[in-house]
Amino acid sequence: MPTTDAQIEQVRALVAAIPRGRVATYGDIATAVGLSTPRTVGWIMRTDAADLPWHRVLGANGRPAAHLAQRQLALLTAEGVPIRNGRVDLRTARFPLPAT
């Protein structure tokens, strides 16, 4: 089933709602929107997230994508997100997303 414009806007709204100092995973967002896979969230983020706090969205293991790691971790550190060994501590930093 193709991703709808409404789902794209829901993803954008959820990413925009993640507060400074908190994070969510691609899977958290996919579940909240009802998408079948976190990869769809990644696709949306790659194509339509320049104006969003993209750095607050991570993989399920708490690590940023390798090609963004240095920049993403610097932005998250500046916001006070707890990071250990290049991985965000999801137990303390994860933001509970509302179901849409």
Side-chain angles (χ1 to χ4, degrees), residues 22-90:
R22 303 296 294 273
V23 299
T25 68
Y26 293 100
D28 294 339
I29 296 168
T31 298
V33 174
L35 297 171
S36 61
T37 176
R39 290 179 185 267
T40 303
V41 176
W43 171 79
I44 293 167
M45 296 291 293
R46 277 192 309 278
T47 59
D48 191 27
D51 61 334
L52 297 174
W54 60 267
H55 59 286
R56 297 179 187 151
V57 182
L58 300 159
N61 64 3
R63 289 192 189 277
H67 68 288
L68 297 172
Q70 187 174 20
R71 183 171 174 213
Q72 191 168 12
L73 290 174
L75 290 167
L76 292 171
T77 298
E79 292 186 359
V81 173
I83 298 169
R84 292 176 193 21
N85 300 319
R87 181 181 298 188
V88 170
D89 181 355
L90 292 174

